[in-house]
Amino acid sequence: MHLTNSSPTITARDRHLLRHAALAVCCAGLFAALAALVQTGWGPLARFDRGLTGDLHRYAADHTVWTASVQMFSDIGGTITMRGVLGAVALCLWLIGARTLAGWVAAQTLIGWGGQWVLKLSFGRQRPAFSDPVAHADGPALPSGHAMASAITCAVLVGLLWPRARRAGRSTACTTATLTVLAIGASRVFLGVHWTTDVLAGWLAAGIVLGAVTVIVELARPGALARDFRRVDWRTRPRVQRVLVSSARPPRDADLSDDPADDLPDARSDDAPADASDTPAAGPATDPVPDRPDGLLR
């Protein structure tokens, strides 16, 4: 009797799908809970919003130089800048042949932009109002567009760098991205154009978009993202690495007269047949090409 193991195996692609599906579902649940508390005017949350936003506004009004610096940083990290960065990345990926990966980046940008306005118009939350505002912004408040766009952009950039970076590079990328997202979100509250819960909602909405778009692309084109990551790694690998590998081999057309051993007397007779090992191998040699590393979206 032949017994076989019938237990299903979980592949790397399955784990990849489960991670992003869990991200989308968890962020959607938290966003729904936060939006419900905001819409119902839950007392503790409303007092927290008013208190923190009011304290930060008073500080901003008293420190104009610091406020101007924060305003400049907020403008640089605005939605137009973030979407422009992702648009340029998508174009570069398209030009080097990573079409699925380029579509994934473009979808994150477009769906994030459209989803932001659908949510804003659905809730229609009013922005903070002050008698002496230090900054102005138009449109509904929830969710924060700056917070949502910066979170999507930084997450996509870290995801693109992840397969090619070492542990130190990954830590640096994650730390830089996290600090950038936190700083942009905090700047909107500091300037008095968003409530704190607007920024939190923007980050959660970004998680929904990131997870949902990745799952949809993986289901529509199984394995295409991983293949494109390998293609990007191969196309962008420094050419110096290939030159070093090739130069490690002796030249095929080396001049035998340059070998010092030729100046020594030959112990063999001129009539002795040449040994087969002395005869160079026929046919051109091929330069070795390093294997392509696997790249998986994290």
Side-chain angles (χ1 to χ4, degrees), residues 27 34 48 52 54-55 60-61 75 101 104 116 133 151 153 172 185 210 242 256-257 273 290:
C27 288
L34 179 63
F48 168 78
L52 181 59
D55 292 342
D75 293 339
L101 198 55
W104 175 76
Q116 163 200 322
T153 301
T172 302
L210 287 166
R242 300 182 188 178
L256 297 180
S257 62

Side-chain angles (χ1 to χ4, degrees), residues 27 143-144 147-148 150-151 181-183 185-186 198-208:
C27 288
S144 168
M148 188 173 176
S150 62
V181 172
L182 290 175
D198 297 337
V199 175
L200 295 176
W203 292 338
L204 292 174
I208 298 172

Side-chain angles (χ1 to χ4, degrees), residues 217-237:
V217 172
E218 280 285 13
L219 292 177
R221 300 289 303 276
L225 286 177
R227 289 192 295 271
D228 274 2
F229 269 105
R230 290 193 292 270
R231 181 177 292 110
V232 170
D233 182 75
W234 179 248
R235 294 294 299 272
T236 59
R237 179 180 300 179

Side-chain angles (χ1 to χ4, degrees), residues 182-209:
L182 290 175
I184 291 176
S187 70
R188 305 305 288 168
V189 181
F190 182 86
L191 294 173
V193 294
H194 274 294
W195 306 102
T196 307
T197 46
D198 297 337
V199 175
L200 295 176
W203 292 338
L204 292 174
I208 298 172
V209 173

Side-chain angles (χ1 to χ4, degrees), residues 40-238:
T40 57
W42 187 51
L45 186 60
R47 287 192 295 271
F48 168 78
D49 255 349
R50 290 193 298 268
L52 181 59
T53 304
D55 292 342
L56 291 177
H57 174 264
R58 284 189 291 271
Y59 184 88
D62 295 336
H63 300 80
T64 55
V65 176
W66 171 253
T67 303
S69 302
V70 174
Q71 179 68 67
M72 182 178 64
F73 176 77
S74 180
D75 293 339
I76 294 174
T79 57
I80 296 177
T81 302
M82 293 297 168
R83 294 189 182 106
V85 169
L86 288 187
V89 170
L91 179 60
C92 292
L93 292 171
W94 183 272
L95 292 177
I96 66 175
R99 303 297 171 84
T100 302
L101 198 55
W104 175 76
V105 174
Q108 298 284 3
T109 307
L110 297 176
I111 294 178
W113 175 76
Q116 163 200 322
W117 280 104
V118 168
L119 293 173
K120 280 179 175 291
L121 297 176
S122 298
F123 293 104
R125 189 185 191 188
Q126 297 297 318
R127 295 178 182 268
F130 300 99
S131 58
D132 54 342
V134 297
H136 298 275
D138 299 324
L142 188 126
S144 168
H146 280 63
M148 188 173 176
S150 62
I152 291 176
T153 301
C154 290
V156 168
L157 294 179
V158 170
L160 293 174
L161 292 173
W162 190 273
R164 306 188 69 237
R166 298 179 182 272
R167 178 175 297 181
R170 292 176 177 180
S171 299
T172 302
C174 290
T175 301
T176 303
T178 301
L179 292 177
T180 300
V181 172
L182 290 175
I184 291 176
S187 70
R188 305 305 288 168
V189 181
F190 182 86
L191 294 173
V193 294
H194 274 294
W195 306 102
T196 307
T197 46
D198 297 337
V199 175
L200 295 176
W203 292 338
L204 292 174
I208 298 172
V209 173
L210 287 166
V213 170
T214 304
V215 170
I216 292 172
V217 172
E218 280 285 13
L219 292 177
R221 300 289 303 276
L225 286 177
R227 289 192 295 271
D228 274 2
F229 269 105
R230 290 193 292 270
R231 181 177 292 110
V232 170
D233 182 75
W234 179 248
R235 294 294 299 272
T236 59
R237 179 180 300 179

